[in-house]
DNA sequence: CTGCATCCGTTATGATACTG
DNA sequence: CAGTATCATAACGGATGCAG
């Protein structure tokens, strides 16, 4: 959860609900898992592992557990002989993904500009 | 939309635009600094330090330097007898803050729900 | 197939003191 | 006032092996 100390944001000065969000998606692969789950409603463990190359089982399982504890991922375990577990986004997870969309757009545009400018962004203030 | 590209193609590069954004705001205090700068166009070092209680000078300076290198913060140094340095958001930083807004809303709603439910979020799947 | 445990390296963060 | 330097620690991520 948000372990961040916040200044007195009691009024309506500035909203720092971002802390909460950042704490949840702060993991290195969290957003990728989120996105993978966004594509399909149900994903199996092995599928997720394949969709996020480079991630290890430990990290994937760990992130999955955290996301489940955070209520953005739902875990469904089928008690079958070949173990089968499916993960899905909760409603809150879907909303999180939607909230992540503008950020994705920003990052994409930014990277395009970086590649065009040779990663030397020198913009002046816009105040 | 975000069909996951393989990170192995570039050797651990960014997959979707979110990675780029997450890499920039990934610091523990980055979003708070961002928000502090969003309130006022120009902030001095000491002001930022006061606005983000708990942060140390080292971390603040470090984050500030990173954000400046990322082109989202502009540093203006006045060559005066009492040293004065002001930080401001660049246009890109402002757009980043705008992109962060939905996430802030999500986090705020979530926190309210958490506090209401006793921090035991258990939502069902919404597939 | 799913998922956990252990060890280990890297990085991020923190505390304190010091300098221009 | 605005940083920097050094040291210490904790958190995160990764590799491997094991268990149900």
């Amino acid at each position: 959860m948000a372990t961040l100390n916040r200044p007195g944001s009691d009024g309506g000065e500035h909203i720092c609900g971002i802390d909460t969000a950042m704490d949840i998606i702060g993991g290195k692969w969290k957003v990728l898992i989120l996105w993978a789950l966004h594509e399909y409603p149900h994903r199996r463990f092995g599928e997720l592992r394949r969709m996020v190359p480079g991630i290890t089982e430990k990290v994937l399982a760990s992130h999955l557990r955290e996301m489940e504890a955070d209520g953005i991922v739902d875990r469904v375990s089928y008690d079958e002989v070949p173990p089968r577990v499916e993960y899905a986004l909760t409603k809150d997870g879907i909303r999180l993904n939607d909230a992540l969309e503008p950020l994705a757009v920003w990052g994409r545009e930014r990277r395009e500009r970086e590649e065009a400018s040779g990663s030397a962004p020198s913009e002046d203030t816009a105040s």
Side-chain angles (χ1 to χ4, degrees), chain A:
Chain A
M1 59 220 61
T3 15
L4 294 181
N5 301 326
R6 293 182 309 131
S9 58
D10 17 50
E13 284 215 309
H14 60 231
I15 345 106
C16 280
I18 293 197
D19 302 347
T20 311
M22 286 302 299
D23 189 58
I24 292 175
I25 63 178
K28 186 178 181 181
W29 305 94
K30 290 254 182 83
V31 289
L32 296 182
I33 299 172
L34 232 38
W35 230 267
L37 288 172
H38 194 231
E39 294 296 317
Y40 276 107
H42 295 277
R43 284 292 190 190
R44 298 187 57 175
F45 190 86
E47 285 189 302
L48 289 174
R49 182 174 45 169
R50 275 190 297 273
M51 292 182 73
V52 189
I55 195 172
T56 59
E57 289 93 345
K58 176 204 171 185
V59 175
L60 179 56
S62 176
H63 282 187
L64 244 20
R65 265 186 276 118
E66 289 179 13
M67 293 163 81
E68 186 193 1
D70 284 329
I72 61 175
V73 162
D74 185 59
R75 182 179 180 270
V76 181
S77 178
Y78 299 88
D79 206 10
E80 302 174 351
V81 178
R84 186 159 67 103
V85 179
E86 285 185 351
Y87 295 92
L89 286 181
T90 63
K91 286 173 185 157
D92 210 25
I94 292 177
R95 276 196 295 268
L96 173 59
N97 243 319
D98 289 342
L100 241 30
E101 185 73 34
L103 205 58
V105 173
W106 180 87
R108 216 176 310 142
E109 291 178 354
R110 181 188 165 74
R111 184 159 55 153
E112 291 170 1
R113 199 182 322 151
E114 263 185 14
E115 291 172 355
S117 307
S119 70
S122 58
E123 232 177 307
D124 207 332
T125 87
S127 58

